[in-house]
Amino acid sequence: MSALVCVARIGAAHGVRGAVKLWTFTEDPFAIKRYGPLLSKDGKRQFEVATAREAKDHLVATFKGVATRDEAERLNGIELYVAREKLPATDDDEYYHTDLIGLDAVTTTGEPLGRVFAIHNFGAGTIIEITPLRGTTMLLPFTSAVVPEVDLAGGRVVIELPQEIEGDKDEGEGLSPSRPRESGDP
C-alpha cells in the first residue's frame, strides 16, 4: 500500500441528520469529494462524502451510511487519509508534507544534522522540525533562505542554519544595535 496523506479531520456532529463539521487540509476544500473513499489512519475504515457545503472555517458534510446525530458523534476526531498517488502533482517548489518527513537534513557543507520530523504551520508561516543526531530539536522557518534545497530523489534537505542575531542578549546586557535608543534609555 502506498503512503497515506491526511486530507481532513472530522469534527463535532452538526444537526440531527448525521452531518459533521469537516476540516480539510487541501487547497480546494471540496477536493476531498474527488479522491474517492477516504480512509481512517489504519486503513480499516472507509468514508465516502455524500454532501458537503461551505461553512465559516470548515465544511459541513455527510457521509454515506451515516444518518443520525449519534452515528455522527462517534466520528468526531477521526482523521481521513487518501493514497499519495491520488493527489495531484506538485509544482517544482511545492511539496506534500509526507514527502519531506523522514528526509535527511544536512548543512550546506554536507554535515549531517538529523532528519525531518514534521512540518508545521501555526499561522505565521511554515516551520520545518528537525530531529537532530545530537542536541535539541530544531524548529526552523521553511523558507528558501533556510532550506535552499530539497532533494527528494537524494532523500535530503539542505539547511542553511541561521546565524544568531547580533545583540540578541539577555535583558539588561545592553541594547541591540538594531534597536534605536528611546528617551529614557541609559
Side-chain angles (χ1 to χ4, degrees), residues 7-55:
V7 293
R9 181 180 47 81
I10 300 172
H14 181 88
V16 296
R17 295 193 176 124
V20 295
K21 294 179 180 180
L22 185 66
W23 277 268
T24 62
F25 310 128
T26 55
E27 187 173 19
D28 171 13
F30 294 98
I32 56 147
K33 289 182 73 173
R34 296 190 294 268
Y35 297 139
L38 305 170
L39 304 171
S40 58
K41 188 173 188 173
D42 62 9
K44 293 179 180 177
R45 294 179 70 186
Q46 287 191 14
F47 300 87
E48 192 169 340
V49 177
T51 65
R53 66 177 170 81
E54 208 165 1

Side-chain angles (χ1 to χ4, degrees), residues 15-177:
V16 296
R17 295 193 176 124
V20 295
K21 294 179 180 180
L22 185 66
W23 277 268
T24 62
F25 310 128
T26 55
E27 187 173 19
D28 171 13
F30 294 98
I32 56 147
K33 289 182 73 173
R34 296 190 294 268
Y35 297 139
L38 305 170
L39 304 171
S40 58
K41 188 173 188 173
D42 62 9
K44 293 179 180 177
R45 294 179 70 186
Q46 287 191 14
F47 300 87
E48 192 169 340
V49 177
T51 65
R53 66 177 170 81
E54 208 165 1
K56 184 177 178 183
D57 60 350
H58 59 278
L59 297 179
V60 173
T62 59
F63 295 103
K64 291 183 180 177
V66 177
T68 69
R69 182 175 183 87
D70 286 344
E71 292 171 333
E73 285 175 345
R74 287 193 290 273
L75 303 178
N76 191 359
I78 294 176
E79 293 180 330
L80 302 174
Y81 293 78
V82 307
R84 169 67 176 86
E85 67 265 5
K86 289 187 175 186
L87 297 173
T90 59
D91 290 335
D92 286 342
D93 288 338
E94 287 184 325
Y95 310 96
Y96 288 112
H97 293 186
T98 192
D99 295 339
L100 300 173
I101 294 170
L103 294 181
D104 290 329
V106 299
T107 65
T108 53
T109 60
E111 180 185 338
L113 289 172
R115 289 193 181 273
V116 177
F117 180 75
I119 307 295
H120 307 284
N121 190 327
F122 303 111
T126 304
I127 303 291
I128 187 168
E129 181 176 346
I130 308 292
T131 301
L133 299 172
R134 58 193 171 281
T136 60
T137 297
M138 291 180 269
L139 297 172
L140 302 166
F142 189 46
T143 63
S144 57
V146 176
V147 186
E149 182 182 346
V150 174
D151 180 5
L152 293 178
R156 69 185 194 138
V157 293
V158 176
I159 304 292
E160 174 71 46
L161 290 172
Q163 300 298 310
E164 282 188 356
I165 299 170
E166 188 177 338
D168 191 13
K169 299 178 182 180
D170 288 339
E171 200 168 338
E173 290 188 26
L175 292 173
S176 167

